[in-house]
Structures are given as structure tokens and as C-alpha cells.
Amino acid sequence: MSSRILVTGGAGFIGSAVVRHLILNTPYEVANLDKLTYAGNLESLATVADSPRYRFYQVDICDAAALDRVFAEFRPDGVMHLAAESHVDRSIDGPSDFIQTNIVGTYTLLEAARRYWNGLAPKVKEAFRFHHISTDEVYGDLEGTDDLFTETTPYAPSSPYSASKASSDHLVRAWQRTYGLPVLVTNCSNNYGPFHFPEKLIPHVILNALAGKPLPVYGDGAQIRDWLYVEDHARALVEVVTRGQVGETYNIGGHNEKRNLEVVETLCDLLEELAPNKPAGVTQYRDLITFVRDRPGHDLRYAIDASKIARELGWVPQETFESGIRKTVQWYLDNRQWWQRVLTGDYRLGRLGES
Ligand SMILES: NC(=O)c1ccc[n+]([C@@H]2O[C@H](COP(=O)([O-])OP(=O)(O)OC[C@H]3O[C@@H](n4cnc5c(N)ncnc54)[C@H](O)[C@@H]3O)[C@@H](O)[C@H]2O)c1
């Protein structure tokens, strides 16, 4: 397909994995468009930031005029849209940013893409792609069944986060049906891996354990998620934007259904092996597990049927949960400066090397 890809949200957890993958493993030019909210961290892009094929625009996807300038200057052949507010707990405490960025921002980006696309020469116009990256949480809760989410499962979002992502998915599909914009949509399960912001379950547990702090588990820890290593997701996304069928949806998952408590216990056991020098007062990492009041509206089970992307694009995950989670724990042990600067807030000041 394309030679220039505009990635929104490229300073976030998954977006930075996509940008690193594109620069390190493909010939594409990449523009990263990111507002740099608390979740955006340019230090996650240190390995590729100096590439002549990489550039960065600090832009809010709600700013139509700034988006027009980026489209006119970079002239992308494809857009991979990952910019979003992404943390369910934050969406419960304050939904406003989620409505603004995930719904209004996606609408504003779609309109900017459409203005730009309408002005392209016929061949370039035909090859253009708008790839919207979404979540399996739009499908709601699989509690009490053995079903898997397929691409035709009806939407039933539970949280302000998943409702805002569901809205954005509907907008993207409507822009194809109504205006002919060549879109693709992917819905993926929970990701984990390097450069994951410490508010999310897996990094939160690793860092709290290393500090000898309680490891909070919601409710009884029975919630089931289907975990996918972030670099497997990045590879899947690049397959979809370059080879996917326009107008199609692809579900992406790791075939790794795990209960939250099982995930936390696995992390404790890996830390016993990889970080045996425990903080003062800690005999076993598992002793730090603490059950806390459940999140309101918490879905019990998500699970993805990822057979379509395997069949049509030949994508399957390379990591098992066991190999990916071990790599992840080792990465947090080896990259203390990255997460320490997140915990102190220094990552927002861009002063790498001074602390
Ligand atoms: N993390 C997961 O497990 C998961 C699973 C499936 C799908 N997704 C989806 O993948 C995408 C990326 O998720 P993530 O975990 O990397 O999120 P993240 O929170 O780590 O990163 C989001 C990025 O978007 C940027 N951003 C936020 N608001 C913006 C705005 N108004 N304008 C421009 N940039 C803005 C942030 O600065 C940040 O760099 C999201 O759309 C999310 O819904 C995430």
C-alpha cells in the first residue's frame, strides 16, 4: 500500500510499539501525531526518534485546523488512528475527556482525512486507507457463556470508555458507507508488554511488588481477559493497514484467557525468580496481594475469536502468555529509568539524562 503513514497516539503504549515496528522493520515514513497527554511519552520512541523516516507533530485530534496542516504537509497514504483516552477507571471518575477525544476527536480526524482524501489524484485516492484501532470492550460482557467475540457480535459497551470507543467505531463505519472513505477497523483484546503506563494492571503490579507495596486485585480477581503481547498487536495492525480488505473489521486476540488473580500470581512467581532480593519486610511477593472493592459495571469476561485475521491475512501471535509475560517482567527490571521517570513525572519535561 503506502509509503507514508500517519500514526495518531504514537507516543502511547500501543502507538509507540507501532511506530517502532514501522521504523525498524518496514520502509515506511512515519509521522506521529500526538497531543502528549499524561499517557504520551516520547521517551518510548528513543530508539527511532533520530530516524530520517520519523517525524513528530504535537497536535490534538480535536483541532481541525492543525490536522489540515499536518495532512497538507505530510501527505499520508494511510492513517492508523490510535489516539484515545484509554483507562477505564479514569473514564468512570471523569468521562468528559473520553467523550471529547474518543468521539469528537475521531469525528474531527475523519473529517480532516476526508477533506484531504477528496483532493487526492484518483490512483492515490484509491490506495488511501483510514485504519481505526479499537477494543474488544465494545462488545460488552461474556459472563456465563463460553462464546467468543466475533466481528459480527452486537455492540453492548458497559463503561464510559467502551461506550466512547463504540461510538467512534460507528462513526468510522458511517464515513465509509456515506462518503466512501476507505476504512478498516480492528478490535483487540487487552495488551501487555514493554512501555506500558504504570496505572494499568500488569505494570502496576510489577512496580508495586518491587516497592513492597500492596498488589490491588478488584473483587475476587475472577475477571477474565484475553491477553496479547503488544508487539504481536503492532504486527497485526501493520498487516491490516497494508493488506486488509477495505470496509472489513478484524478481531485481534492472543488466545490467552486468564483470570486477573492468575495474572497477578504469575507476576509474583516470576518476580520470585527474576528479582529474588525482595524489599525489606516482604517474605513472598504473593503476600502483597490485596483484594479491593470491585470497579462499578466491571465486565467479567472478554474473549476474542481471532480466526478471521489468521485465515485472511495469515497473522497469528508469536508470543504465548508465558513467553510474553516473562519478557515483560524482565523489561521492567532492565528499564528502571523509563518507569522511574514516569513515576516522578519527569517524562513530561523531556529532560532525559538529567536525573
Ligand atoms: N491498551 C490496550 O490493552 C488496548 C486494547 C485494545 C485497543 N486499544 C486501543 O488502542 C489505542 C491505543 O491504546 P494505548 O493503550 O496505547 O493508549 P495510551 O493511553 O497508552 O495512549 C494514548 C495516546 O493517545 C494520545 N492522545 C490522547 N488524547 C489525544 C488527543 N486528543 N489528540 C492526540 N493525541 C491524544 C496520548 O498522548 C497517548 O500518547 C486506543 O485507541 C485504545 O482504545 C487499547
Side-chain angles (χ1 to χ4, degrees):
M1 191 236 358
S2 50
S3 56
R4 283 185 302 279
I5 299 186
L6 176 64
V7 178
T8 74
F13 168 49
I14 301 172
S16 69
V18 170
V19 172
R20 290 190 304 271
H21 176 58
L22 284 168
I23 294 293
L24 297 175
N25 302 311
T26 78
Y28 299 123
E29 279 183 53
V30 180
N32 169 16
L33 184 155
D34 198 297
K35 178 180 175 182
L36 297 184
T37 66
Y38 80 94
N41 186 349
L42 292 177
E43 292 172 16
S44 305
L45 294 162
T47 51
V48 298
D50 292 336
S51 166
R53 290 188 288 113
Y54 170 80
R55 67 176 88 175
F56 173 62
Y57 295 100
Q58 185 168 2
V59 163
D60 185 335
I61 55 165
C62 300
D63 182 343
L67 291 177
D68 284 343
R69 282 196 295 276
V70 172
F71 275 100
E73 186 180 303
F74 184 60
R75 304 201 61 73
D77 302 295
V79 174
M80 298 176 78
H81 175 36
L82 296 101
E85 288 290 338
S86 72
H87 191 42
V88 176
D89 288 343
R90 285 182 189 255
S91 83
I92 294 169
D93 294 343
S96 163
D97 285 349
F98 289 72
I99 305 304
Q100 191 59 27
T101 285
N102 298 1
I103 305 178
V104 179
T106 298
Y107 155 73
T108 310
L109 181 68
L110 280 166
E111 281 294 78
R114 187 164 76 91
R115 281 191 292 277
Y116 164 76
W117 175 73
N118 271 329
L120 293 173
K123 270 204 160 150
V124 194
K125 190 172 178 185
E126 200 188 313
F128 183 83
R129 298 288 181 267
F130 185 101
H131 177 184
H132 177 63
I133 284 82
S134 192
T135 165
D136 62 353
E137 301 194 25
V138 298
Y139 298 122
D141 197 347
L142 286 171
E143 181 170 7
T145 75
D146 290 332
D147 294 353
L148 302 174
F149 296 133
T150 72
E151 287 78 2
T152 54
T153 301
Y155 276 27
S158 304
S159 70
Y161 163 66
S162 53
S164 68
K165 290 296 293 187
S167 309
S168 65
D169 294 10
H170 291 318
L171 289 173
V172 170
R173 293 193 180 101
W175 257 241
Q176 187 199 14
R177 172 100 185 182
T178 307
Y179 304 111
L181 190 71
V183 309
L184 300 132
V185 177
T186 49
N187 295 85
C188 185
S189 59
N190 275 40
N191 283 215
Y192 68 98
F195 301 103
H196 206 179
F197 197 81
E199 69 186 351
K200 302 285 172 78
L201 176 70
I202 287 178
H204 188 63
V205 164
I206 297 172
L207 302 193
N208 272 20
L210 291 174
K213 292 182 185 167
L215 310 180
V217 173
Y218 280 129
D220 58 1
Q223 307 86 357
I224 297 173
R225 300 292 179 262
D226 174 1
W227 293 94
L228 178 67
Y229 192 64
V230 67
E231 291 173 12
D232 276 328
H233 189 195
R235 273 193 314 108
L237 295 177
V238 173
E239 290 296 325
V240 169
V241 76
T242 53
R243 300 198 299 118
Q245 195 69 34
V246 169
E248 290 295 315
T249 295
Y250 298 90
N251 279 357
I252 307 172
H255 315 287
N256 284 310
E257 281 187 56
K258 302 280 173 204
R259 290 181 191 281
N260 280 354
L261 182 58
E262 203 182 332
V263 171
V264 174
E265 288 174 347
T266 302
L267 291 169
C268 290
D269 296 348
L270 278 168
L271 284 166
E272 293 290 347
E273 181 192 331
L274 300 171
N277 294 328
K278 290 183 264 297
V282 179
T283 316
Q284 281 196 81
Y285 288 113
R286 279 189 185 219
D287 296 341
L288 296 169
I289 293 174
T290 311
F291 295 95
V292 299
R293 197 160 62 90
D294 207 353
R295 174 192 270 171
H298 209 169
D299 292 332
L300 186 67
R301 175 169 168 260
Y302 302 138
I304 281 269
D305 176 351
S307 57
K308 177 176 170 181
I309 187 171
R311 200 172 52 244
E312 295 190 8
L313 301 178
W315 174 88
V316 287
Q318 287 178 356
E319 300 293 341
T320 61
F321 185 71
E322 290 64 33
S323 66
I325 199 76
R326 178 176 284 273
K327 275 189 183 178
T328 303
V329 172
Q330 191 63 58
W331 187 88
Y332 279 89
L333 293 172
D334 293 344
N335 291 275
R336 288 171 192 263
Q337 193 190 30
W338 182 88
W339 53 262
Q340 275 163 355
R341 288 172 58 75
V342 173
L343 296 182
T344 59
D346 282 355
Y347 75 110
R348 303 204 71 179
L349 306 172
R351 289 189 281 112
L352 191 60
E354 287 178 27
S355 63

